[in-house]
Amino acid sequence: MKILVTGGLGFIGSHTVVELQNKGFEVVIVDNLSNASEKVIDGIIAITGKKPLFENFDLRDKPKVEDFFSRHNDIEGVIHFAASKAVGESVEKPLLYYENNLGVLTYILQELSKKGSANFIFSSSCTVYGQADKMPITEDAPVKSAESPYGNTKQVGEEIIQDTCKVTPHISAIALRYFNPFGAHPSVEIGELPSGVPQNLVPFITQTGIGLREQLSVFGDDYPTADGTCIRDYIHVVDLAKAHVAALQRLVNDENEENYEVFNLGTGTGSSVLEVIKSFERVSGKKLNYKIVRRRAGDVIEAYADTTKANAVLGWRAESTLDEAMKSAWDWEQKIRS
Ligand code: WQD
């Protein structure tokens, strides 16, 4: 069965391609290499021994999207990762985000609407919850008004899919709300390749550990949490990738009750910034150089998932501990800098 993975050479996309191949799916990747390298294909082959099909074009080019789907009319599922995802950049360039994250989504859904049946997995984010009122966060927690155009594209993206599914019963869709993905494949053949200064915590930690960054700034230790730093649900990227395959299998096997469903993907455990730093120090045996600075605008105090629904309905559960995932991140950092 052939599956389109858009953004399939990116961080979560590439790890999902590996897990799809492990389950026997044929994969075709579309990626414009704006935030990925074609060399990632070699890493995928090194792990699975299977070369995915790959086409390099920009999904904002509607005629190219139409041509692609006419040439690959045997595609039975789409996992859609291709999107811009830098919160700060989205504030400066909202139109880029609305075109790339929403315009492209409508082109793909238009193509799926033409097919007899279609399965669609959407890369969403816990950012839709904003600062949720109750922890752990369940899927029926209220979606709060987005703090950034990036977050808004996830909220509106879900609404676009939901509205489409309402009038197109032959499209079955699942939105996966990621918490905080990090780490790398244990083979250290693929991992995260942040371009420029990492925005996210873990890559900044490992780059500081390897000496690429002088010092980690911890954005605030005056939050109402046990140690004063923000709490998040850090999930290993391989666990996250496996959840995508479980969600796809639910759709291709027609096990879904509704043709639009939402799942939180996390470990169900919250970890503070200082706890993540301690995890790095345990797995690396290094003391991390960090300092406390003032809060970062837009940060929520805490966000960690209630994973009951994904566990029960998808039959999926995150397996890696924080330290195991952190070790994979550190092993990867050491490899790419060697
Ligand atoms: C985690 C914690 C920071 C960097 C973002 C997006 C979200 C999703 C995941 C795409 C926070 C602190 C961070 C640093 C720090 N992305 N921190 N120093 O903000 O929870 O989520 O990435 O889907 O949509 O919003 O992740 O890793 O940036 O921050 O102290 O140099 O680490 O304040 O408490 P975040 P993050």
Side-chain angles (χ1 to χ4, degrees):
M1 184 180 287
K2 188 191 273 187
I3 305 297
L4 163 60
V5 180
T6 71
L9 295 184
F11 174 41
I12 304 170
S14 56
H15 288 80
T16 302
V17 168
V18 163
E19 298 310 325
L20 284 167
Q21 291 184 326
N22 287 345
K23 290 288 184 191
F25 289 100
E26 182 194 357
V27 175
V28 52
I29 294 169
V30 170
D31 201 304
N32 67 0
L33 303 180
S34 61
N35 191 22
S37 149
E38 197 165 345
K39 289 207 296 293
V40 169
I41 294 181
D42 299 334
I44 291 169
I45 296 169
I47 298 168
T48 65
K50 298 173 194 161
K51 183 175 171 50
L53 296 173
F54 167 57
E55 295 194 23
N56 171 5
F57 67 88
D58 195 317
L59 291 160
R60 287 174 292 188
D61 185 332
K62 190 168 193 281
K64 285 207 173 137
V65 174
E66 290 166 344
D67 166 64
F68 174 85
F69 275 92
S70 65
R71 286 184 289 108
H72 293 274
N73 54 18
D74 53 346
I75 279 173
E76 298 193 44
V78 177
I79 304 184
H80 182 44
F81 292 104
S84 304
K85 65 165 193 114
V87 174
E89 182 190 46
S90 77
V91 176
E92 280 130 50
K93 302 177 184 169
L95 286 178
L96 167 78
Y97 275 68
Y98 289 122
E99 182 191 30
N100 199 33
N101 293 10
L102 297 179
V104 166
L105 174 62
T106 62
Y107 298 162
I108 292 172
L109 290 173
Q110 282 164 9
E111 292 308 311
L112 297 186
S113 302
K114 297 174 193 168
K115 297 170 76 72
S117 82
N119 300 298
F120 184 70
I121 306 284
F122 179 63
S123 169
S124 189
S125 168
C126 65
T127 204
V128 302
Y129 299 114
Q131 177 53 73
D133 304 324
K134 216 163 64 64
M135 293 299 136
I137 303 173
T138 59
E139 285 81 357
D140 52 12
V143 168
K144 296 204 174 160
S145 66
E147 312 245 343
S148 69
Y150 162 77
N152 202 32
T153 65
K154 292 304 178 186
Q155 290 180 8
V156 175
E158 289 188 5
E159 289 166 9
I160 289 172
I161 298 162
Q162 201 168 8
D163 290 343
T164 304
C165 289
K166 273 184 198 140
V167 295
T168 327
H170 75 262
I171 294 182
S172 293
I174 286 178
L176 297 175
R177 292 173 177 170
Y178 311 157
F179 279 68
N180 287 61
F182 80 108
H185 193 271
S187 66
V188 282
E189 294 292 351
I190 54 175
E192 193 168 5
L193 291 165
S195 48
V197 179
Q199 297 304 305
N200 294 134
L201 178 64
V202 175
F204 206 108
I205 286 178
T206 55
Q207 288 191 14
T208 304
I210 202 93
L212 208 57
R213 307 284 159 206
E214 183 56 35
Q215 181 181 55
L216 168 76
S217 296
V218 172
F219 299 137
D221 70 346
D222 57 349
Y223 285 95
T225 62
D227 65 17
T229 62
C230 294
I231 292 169
R232 296 289 186 275
D233 187 332
Y234 296 92
I235 176 171
H236 192 201
V237 64
V238 172
D239 284 328
L240 193 68
K242 288 177 177 172
H244 285 75
V245 179
L248 180 71
Q249 287 173 319
R250 177 174 171 77
L251 296 185
V252 298
N253 299 333
D254 292 326
E255 292 162 357
N256 51 317
E257 279 110 44
E258 310 285 326
N259 73 331
Y260 176 70
E261 297 175 311
V262 175
F263 294 91
N264 285 343
L265 296 184
T267 65
T269 302
S271 299
S272 74
V273 174
L274 293 180
E275 286 170 333
V276 174
I277 290 171
K278 288 193 185 73
S279 172
F280 171 77
E281 293 183 334
R282 279 194 298 274
V283 305
S284 67
K286 285 172 163 282
K287 197 95 192 73
L288 190 78
N289 179 12
Y290 70 89
K291 68 178 175 190
I292 307 292
V293 300
R294 61 187 169 77
R295 296 179 177 192
R296 178 173 69 174
D299 275 339
V300 296
I301 302 166
E302 65 178 337
Y304 56 94
D306 179 317
T307 60
T308 311
K309 188 178 174 189
N311 302 154
V313 176
L314 296 181
W316 166 89
R317 180 177 299 278
E319 291 157 6
S320 295
T321 63
L322 181 66
D323 284 10
E324 285 164 347
M326 182 61 76
K327 181 174 184 316
S328 73
W330 179 230
D331 289 347
W332 170 250
E333 188 69 63
Q334 294 174 93
K335 173 177 179 189
I336 56 176
R337 308 297 171 200
S338 58

